[in-house]
Amino acid sequence: MVGTLASVLLGIFGRLLDFYIRGTDAYAGYCMAAAGFLALAHTFRRGEHIRVTLLLEQAGAARPWLERLCLALALFASGLLAWYSVRLAWQSHTFNDISTGNDATRLWIPQIGMALGTGLLMIALLDAFVGAWRATSVLPSAPATPSHVE
Amino acid sequence: MDIAAAALLMLVLFALLGAGVWIGLALMGVAWIGMLAFTARVPGDAMAVTVWGTASSWTLTALPLFVWMGEILFRTRMSEDMFRGLAPWMERLPGRLLHTNIIGCTIFAAVSGSSAATCATIGKMTLPELRSRGYPEDKIIGTLAGAGTLGLLIPPSIIMIVYGVTAEVSIAKLFIAGVIPGILVAALFMGYVIVWSLIHPELIPPIERHTTLREKLHASKNLIPVVLLILAVLGSIYVGVATATEAAAFGVVGSLILSALQGSLSRATFGSSLMGATRLYCMIALILAGASFLTLSMGYIGLPRVLAEWIAGLGLSKFALIVALMLFYILLGCFLDGISMVVLTMAIIIPTVQKAGIDLLWFGIFIVLVVEMAQITPPVGFNLFVLQGMTGRQITYIARATMPMFFLLVVAVLLIYALPELATWLPEKMMQH
């Protein structure tokens, strides 16, 4: 799974750079979107999506319940996002929506990435939720070396 | 829409965030609830369109590229080279090698968009070197954590891209505006180290060996690659041949070439930098996506307008407003990371700021400075986490060591308030080209 994802992303990023040098702005945006969305689930499973863990760490015995509550809420939000992303791509397809930029891409093609990525995130959250309910799997907490982002 | 309803919505948001719901998803959830409860619009399709629009926008493409560039450089020998190039020059300054932390971070900040990455990359080299020479540990940590935050202020800067995208300010202008304040902050830090070392000369280890000018110059050749990279990235923005995104692509190619020349580029490091960058970007993208929908929802609800009118009704002076905002952000920065802080508040605060007649470019620099403070305030401060991982010290110890830098940042905010030209002069100059 990670391997296929890696190769997909490798291709996307390579293309991103390449296309972009040729000046195809819109395609850079599509590729970026695809890379971002497709990596959602993977990043979630690695515990690298950012959250406030202050209360969770202090919660003690209530922690499993709080964790389940968080997962349920997140599952709900990601479910909405996934549903409407699929709908957006589907509608773009039905109405044959075309990009307003000079690339004139049929928008449903890049939007598939979003639909797929958010769908995968929802499945990953569902998996984590079921896992947390059965208390079989523990979510990876924040990575030991915090992200180098800020 | 009244203040009570607004407060309720904010309460829901903070409850969700506090409970530990992933920030991006929490933002989306609140936006959804807000739109459903306070407007007659249907949130679903608007959400998908907004999220898609943000995630595929051309301005944002600079962000993953700069993130990737940082990941590549983190895996090179650049920090060693920089230490070797800088150290001989510092022997005469009071505080000696402590300045390698500050200047090293300042230079690296000019090729890196992130504070924690700057801190980690420079610290990787200077921490063991300075420790083995017997420099006081709290000063090593303090200068490193403080100067690391320059990664945000000195362009390229991830937080500036995030601000530029959310507040619709030119990213190139923001980048250029950060240069002088960045140098100013570095100078404040160095000034502090000099004064401190003059008061406590016994705590600074003696010079090991005097180097000749010739040796100094020879050592400086280690700095050439990083200087070239800075020129390629910042120079291209300043003279106007490249947008921020194009400069970022130059940067990625440049750092790939650099790491290839150093021999640290392999299939493994390339892959890990790519995957690392993708995950990091993905994490930011989820927050940005949530924030863009929250902005839309807030706009429909009219909350920012209500808040702007309410604050305008208070009759605060501009200075009082800035001080109030600074305190607010410092408080927020104790619990939230910088990006979340910016995207969360921009949706609400921009109208207030505009109404008070504050220049959005200047405000961007102000925001970056307060986010820098957030990086080093416990309990949640990324630079503190990084240094905790690298030194094995307690976070309270690290936070105490970093305290002076925090106050110097407050001084910097007051300085750019008193002299706004510090931030706005250079970008104006650039536009005249």
Side-chain angles (χ1 to χ4, degrees):
Chain A
M1 173 66 188
V2 175
T4 41
L5 190 67
S7 56
V8 171
L9 292 173
L10 206 81
I12 288 168
F13 257 92
R15 265 201 327 244
L16 177 88
L17 205 63
D18 202 8
F19 270 19
Y20 147 72
I21 285 168
R22 279 185 244 145
T24 324
D25 305 359
Y27 279 99
Y30 300 151
C31 292
M32 170 180 70
F37 284 122
L38 290 176
L40 276 173
H42 171 68
T43 308
F44 170 74
R45 292 200 66 93
R46 296 269 304 233
E48 289 185 22
H49 277 303
I50 207 157
R51 64 194 295 206
V52 181
T53 50
L54 226 55
L55 197 65
L56 271 175
E57 278 156 14
Q58 305 296 322
R63 180 166 181 162
W65 287 102
L66 195 57
E67 193 79 74
R68 283 170 201 164
L69 177 73
C70 282
L71 280 166
L73 290 168
L75 182 62
F76 175 68
S78 74
L80 288 176
L81 184 63
W83 169 252
Y84 283 101
S85 300
V86 172
R87 209 170 115 105
L88 179 71
W90 180 251
Q91 283 178 344
S92 297
H93 179 68
T94 323
F95 301 132
N96 209 5
D97 216 356
I98 281 174
S99 156
T100 48
N102 56 8
D103 57 312
T105 311
R106 286 175 192 194
L107 273 178
W108 63 271
I109 299 173
Q111 281 168 353
I112 282 181
M114 172 165 159
L116 205 63
T118 50
L120 283 173
L121 176 67
M122 190 189 75
I123 293 169
L125 274 162
L126 186 65
D127 175 54
F129 179 69
V130 173
W133 202 259
R134 293 191 188 145
T136 48
S137 80
V138 181
L139 268 187
S141 50
T145 46
S147 41
H148 302 142
V149 60
E150 314 240 348
Chain B
M1 185 71 206
D2 50 24
I3 287 292
L8 187 73
L9 208 56
M10 288 292 107
L11 211 65
V12 173
L13 178 59
F14 281 105
L16 283 181
L17 289 178
V21 179
W22 290 265
I23 289 174
L25 293 172
L27 297 182
M28 247 176 242
V30 171
W32 178 280
I33 296 168
M35 226 162 144
L36 217 54
F38 298 113
T39 71
R41 289 169 195 267
V42 188
D45 294 315
M47 168 166 81
V49 171
T50 318
V51 168
W52 169 252
T54 308
S56 63
S57 86
W58 155 247
T59 6
L60 197 63
T61 47
L63 201 143
L65 292 175
F66 276 127
V67 171
W68 192 16
M69 177 176 165
E71 290 282 318
I72 297 168
L73 290 178
F74 181 72
R75 290 171 173 80
T76 61
R77 284 189 291 111
M78 189 175 228
S79 57
E80 294 162 49
D81 285 351
M82 279 176 56
F83 184 78
R84 254 183 278 139
L86 286 175
W89 295 99
M90 300 303 147
E91 60 192 23
R92 290 193 185 282
L93 271 178
R96 284 188 256 289
L97 292 184
L98 285 177
H99 293 286
T100 55
N101 263 344
I102 300 170
I103 299 188
C105 284
T106 310
I107 297 178
F108 191 75
V111 288
S112 157
S114 106
S115 148
T118 307
C119 195
T121 313
I122 296 300
K124 188 167 71 172
M125 191 61 202
T126 56
L127 261 178
E129 290 280 346
L130 266 66
R131 260 181 177 171
S132 68
R133 288 181 171 83
Y135 282 86
E137 175 122 6
D138 61 329
K139 291 299 159 212
I140 306 178
I141 292 176
T143 50
L144 194 56
T149 65
L150 287 171
L152 300 178
L153 189 55
I154 295 181
S157 160
I158 288 172
I159 210 92
M160 281 184 191
I161 302 177
V162 170
Y163 174 83
V165 169
T166 35
E168 289 173 5
V169 178
S170 153
I171 292 166
K173 270 193 195 174
L174 273 171
F175 276 8
I176 299 303
V179 174
I180 295 180
I183 294 169
L184 172 83
V185 172
L188 283 175
F189 288 166
M190 286 180 72
Y192 167 78
V193 170
I194 290 174
V195 170
W196 182 85
S197 333
L198 287 176
I199 300 173
H200 308 276
E202 72 285 355
L203 290 177
I204 298 293
I207 300 176
E208 290 157 19
R209 181 176 74 84
H210 280 283
T211 48
T212 60
L213 185 66
R214 206 188 144 86
E215 283 174 306
K216 282 182 182 138
L217 287 175
H218 188 71
S220 299
K221 78 173 197 308
N222 288 310
L223 296 174
I224 294 173
V226 68
V227 171
L228 284 179
L229 204 54
I230 294 173
L231 286 180
V233 175
L234 289 191
S236 61
I237 297 181
Y238 185 74
V239 299
V241 296
T243 63
T245 310
E246 287 157 354
F250 283 147
V252 171
V253 174
S255 21
L256 279 174
I257 294 172
L258 195 132
S259 79
L261 289 179
Q262 280 189 346
S264 47
L265 183 68
S266 66
R267 191 180 274 268
T269 55
F270 180 79
S272 66
S273 73
L274 186 60
M275 285 308 287
T278 311
R279 282 195 301 271
L280 262 181
Y281 165 65
C282 173
M283 185 270 278
I284 303 173
L286 183 61
I287 299 177
L288 281 176
S292 69
F293 180 44
L294 185 68
T295 309
L296 180 86
S297 162
M298 289 292 171
Y300 282 155
I301 299 171
L303 197 148
R305 194 175 37 80
V306 172
L307 188 79
E309 279 161 12
W310 182 67
I311 289 183
L314 291 180
L316 290 174
S317 71
K318 208 163 136 185
F319 182 70
L321 180 65
I322 288 295
V323 170
L325 281 175
M326 184 161 80
L327 292 176
F328 169 70
Y329 277 110
I330 289 172
L331 189 70
L332 209 57
C334 291
F335 304 100
L336 276 179
D337 66 289
I339 293 176
S340 311
M341 233 164 84
V342 172
V343 297
L344 200 67
T345 52
M346 279 313 122
I348 306 165
I349 259 165
I350 286 292
T352 306
V353 170
Q354 276 175 319
K355 200 159 187 156
I358 297 171
D359 177 29
L360 282 185
L361 187 63
W362 182 90
F363 192 68
I365 301 302
F366 166 79
I367 285 289
V368 173
L369 278 168
V370 290
V371 168
E372 283 192 56
M373 296 178 199
Q375 294 297 118
I376 52 175
T377 43
V380 180
F382 273 92
N383 285 22
L384 303 180
F385 291 156
V386 169
L387 284 171
Q388 190 182 26
M390 291 173 83
T391 60
R393 291 277 189 164
Q394 282 294 319
I395 200 138
T396 42
Y397 173 85
I398 298 170
R400 233 189 349 258
T402 317
M403 257 329 220
M405 306 300 152
F406 175 80
F407 288 114
L408 289 174
L409 284 173
V410 176
V411 172
V413 169
L414 296 178
L415 277 176
I416 67 158
Y417 178 78
L419 291 167
E421 291 80 15
L422 285 173
T424 52
W425 177 74
L426 205 54
E428 275 165 21
K429 198 89 177 135
M430 170 179 90
M431 293 308 136
Q432 285 165 9
H433 275 277

